[in-house]
Amino acid sequence: MISDSPILRVRDYTKHFELYEQGKRIPSAQSVDLDVFVGRLTALTGATGAGKSTVLKGIYRTYLPTAGRLLYRDRHGREIDLACADEHRVLALRRTEIGFVTQFLRCLPRQATENVVAQPLIQRGVDWHDALDKARELLTAMDLPERLWGISPATFSGGEKQRVNLARGLIAKPRLLLLDEPTASLDPATAERVIELLTTLKREGVGMLAVFHQPYLVERLAEHLVELPSPSWNERPLEEIA
Amino acid sequence: MDKVLSVEALSKRYGKGCQHCFALTGPAFDTNICPECGSVVAAHEVSFDLHQGEILGIMGESGSGKSTAVKCLYFDQIPTGGRAVFNDQGESFSLFELNAAQQRRLASRCFGMVYQNPHLGLNFDISAGGNIAERLLMARVDNYADIRRRATSLLERTEVMSERMDELPRNFSGGMQQRVQIAKALAINPPLLLLDEVTTGLDLSVQAAILDLILEIQQQSRTSMIVVTHDLGVIRLLADRTLVMKHGRVVETGLTDQILEDPQHAYTQRLVASAL
Ligand SMILES: Nc1ncnc2c1ncn2[C@@H]1O[C@H](COP(=O)(O)OP(=O)(O)OP(=O)(O)O)[C@@H](O)[C@H]1O
Ligand SMILES: Nc1ncnc2c1ncn2[C@@H]1O[C@H](COP(=O)(O)OP(=O)(O)OP(=O)(O)O)[C@@H](O)[C@H]1O
Ligand SMILES: [Mg+2]
Ligand SMILES: [Mg+2]
Ligand SMILES: [Zn+2]
């Protein structure tokens, strides 16, 4: 299902961090505008420190925006400003509609990999066996050796962890998928698998906003490009701003 | 999602009190002790909601009032002010307006508590299994075989070897005591669990086992929980939302990842920075 109206409209998003201990205000993202569409991928580019991760985390509400609107259209067609939506509403959206895959895997120390991956489906009320089947299917697609499925990913290599992380992020097929360098430590063959998977998901209607390290990923996957300007590095003391 | 608990302006003062207690304590004064009368304002105007299946974290340094808040909810302390409404299966209870008998009945039917101090949560003079049996009896399970079966399965679930079920908890290690407390708190499958520093002082592998167990319970039974801890790692793993307390006041609340990665309050920033 492809449609032309965006599922996410970011308007004039600005984020500064106020660090009281250091008496500093750190500008991080300045007046960002972007759209994400059903079944398409918007790539966010820009120099290191330009604020790419800050935009993604703002949409996920890990960061509280300083200004701007983050307008998400949910599956019922209602528009929600993620900048100020109720916390329980945001939690519900994270469970059902908005996924985030970063470079880092966070999980419980003793959980088996296949359970870590199945988690988002179980959270949504999918039957445990079906969720595990789906998890194994994805782990196979990611080329993760079967002998690793039953143990915790805590001791996995960077690339292995990242595959687990991706499998978990993709399993529940969110409507909006945020990706922050999800392929940073993958070998070319595995990266190719990931590209295939993301392409399939796009075809199924998932809208994506992604930060990719390698330009060829942007070329192959993105329909839209948004470049953030280089950071200004003008940290100023808090007092000067007040 | 249903609201299980709603706490409004909960206050607890220890001591005789005077008219200045609340005005002269709190983060702005860097103390919870009233300079006029010496009373301790352990909690003041603490408000939050808890939805079904949600885990709310309460963090803050020692003495900030975390235990006091949950003890008031479990009726161990009588609050100085405030309201708390608990909802269960269409029934609504205004906690602090119930009489003592009603409170006892509600707590034994609907609440599970794991105390920071195992002495408060366990009777050290009866066996581990006996502690659980006592809890079941209060909730009117009174068939001996049922009780025995349930106690065994609970202890297995919390990884206390069931052959030690007839031993006194005073002979157990801290980690074991904590797990017996958890088994006891879970005995009646309560819709609300209050967990006060459940993992503090335990070695890492035991901590991991307990954290796993807590998440398993939350997922299987949609149990709502309040998790009190000063361990930010525990907060990160367990809590959906987090409340930060200092000198009896709530300084900040938010989604847990937001509290840890983008703390808004100077105090929270310091707390998070010092844990890195
Ligand atoms: N939680 C935070 N607290 C304080 N400052 C932060 C925080 N997160 C980001 N920043 C600052 O905001 C600016 C933008 O950071 P961000 O991580 O968004 O950049 P980026 O474009 O993702 O860079 P990279 O390509 O290196 O990942 C940087 O100056 C960074 O130090
Ligand atoms: N029964 C009591 N009588 C007098 N003061 C008390 C009593 N119980 C607690 N307090 C005081 O109330 C304040 C809050 O105590 P509380 O136990 O709630 O703190 P806490 O946040 O749980 O700390 P910790 O992290 O050390 O467990 C402290 O200053 C404490 O000394
Ligand atoms: Mg980044
Ligand atoms: Mg305490
Ligand atoms: Zn006073």
Side-chain angles (χ1 to χ4, degrees), chain B residues 13 17-21 34 36-39:
Chain B
R13 177 171 55 191
C18 73
Q19 64 196 50
H20 304 292
C21 293
C34 173
E36 295 292 322
C37 72
S39 299

Side-chain angles (χ1 to χ4, degrees), chain B residues 12 18 22 24 31 34-35 79 95 116 130 147 151 153 169 192 194 198 206 213 222 230 238 265 276:
Chain B
K12 174 63 187 175
C18 73
F22 297 131
L24 296 179
T31 181
C34 173
L95 296 183
Q116 185 167 8
I147 288 179
S153 88
L192 176 63
L194 307 170
V198 259
V206 179
L213 175 70
R222 309 254 315 126
H230 37 231
L238 294 184
H265 194 281
L276 292 178

Side-chain angles (χ1 to χ4, degrees), chain A residues 15-22 57 60-65 86-88 90-92 94-95 106-111 119 122-123, chain B residues 1 49-51 54 159 205 208-209 211-212 215 218-219 236-237 240-241 253-255 257-259 261-266 269-270:
Chain A
K15 174 64 181 171
H16 299 158
F17 292 94
E18 315 217 324
L19 304 181
Y20 296 102
E21 196 84 321
Q22 291 104 303
K57 287 183 176 178
Y60 204 60
R61 254 282 275 283
T62 299
Y63 290 168
L64 283 175
D86 172 77
E87 286 164 8
H88 287 109
V90 174
L91 286 171
R94 286 181 179 186
R95 251 188 314 270
R106 193 177 299 145
C107 61
L108 281 171
R110 297 202 313 176
Q111 232 176 11
Q119 209 57 55
I122 294 169
Q123 285 248 327
Chain B
M1 260 222 263
D49 294 333
L50 183 69
H51 285 205
E54 180 178 30
E159 300 180 38
S205 68
L211 296 176
D212 267 355
L215 280 185
Q218 183 231 6
Q219 269 161 23
R236 189 188 280 280
L237 279 172
D240 301 301
R241 290 185 309 131
T253 61
L255 297 174
D257 49 331
Q258 181 253 298
I259 292 287
E261 295 188 42
D262 185 19
Q264 303 295 300
H265 194 281
Q269 293 184 358
R270 224 175 310 130

